[in-house]
Amino acid sequence: MTAGRLPSGQVVEPQKDRHSAPDSKTGTPRRPGMTSFKPHQQEDEGYLAAANGQPVSANPYPAGTIRHAEWRSGWHHKQAEIQGQDNEGYNAAPQQGLDDNPYPRGTIRYAEWRRGWLARHDATRRRARMPDDHS
């Protein structure tokens, strides 16, 4: 910030904001009441809870909140992954694309293959984000 002048001509120096001083660890400005942003934190927590055998009712976030929904989503992703490991689409995902589904569109088999492929694809992306995955 630069100094400014009042209508009376008086020079006013800007006040230093103690909250905007850079954090010594990250170098980013501090802001009161702000927390670090981890976009997949609750989803990853739910995923790990399911991997450790916890029920969906173990969700620590209040119902009706975005965090609750994200945690639940992660829990369901892990459950789909566990159930999909015997699925053709799940096993085909590393070698084939989603468009390589061998079943006719609109059939139950098509949907099951697709669901398995997506579960494996999500698991691969999650492993890249969480290298010490417990699955």
Side-chain angles (χ1 to χ4, degrees):
M1 285 182 101
T2 60
R5 286 194 186 271
L6 294 175
S8 64
Q10 179 183 5
V11 175
V12 180
E13 293 293 324
Q15 292 182 345
K16 293 193 181 219
D17 181 2
R18 63 184 171 87
H19 297 295
S20 64
D23 185 290
S24 61
K25 293 179 185 172
T26 63
T28 57
R30 291 185 200 140
R31 299 284 180 222
M34 298 293 288
T35 60
S36 61
F37 180 65
K38 297 178 184 171
H40 301 286
Q41 179 178 347
Q42 289 79 28
E43 183 179 346
D44 293 345
E45 289 173 0
Y47 182 88
L48 292 174
N52 291 324
Q54 294 181 359
V56 73
S57 61
N59 189 332
Y61 299 102
T65 62
I66 293 171
R67 288 181 175 177
H68 180 89
E70 289 296 314
W71 190 96
R72 188 177 172 99
S73 173
W75 190 91
H76 283 291
H77 280 291
K78 181 59 180 176
Q79 290 300 314
E81 184 181 321
I82 291 168
Q83 294 169 359
Q85 289 178 349
D86 294 331
N87 180 292
E88 290 178 62
Y90 185 91
N91 295 322
Q95 301 88 17
Q96 296 179 318
L98 187 56
D99 293 335
D100 296 325
N101 189 331
Y103 299 103
R105 186 178 288 267
T107 63
I108 292 172
R109 288 189 181 222
Y110 177 91
E112 288 174 349
W113 192 96
R114 185 176 192 278
R115 191 173 16 261
W117 190 95
L118 290 171
R120 180 66 172 264
H121 181 70
D122 287 345
T124 302
R125 286 189 12 229
R126 185 172 282 102
R127 280 189 198 96
R129 189 173 70 234
M130 297 173 42
D132 52 350
D133 182 11
H134 303 328
S135 58

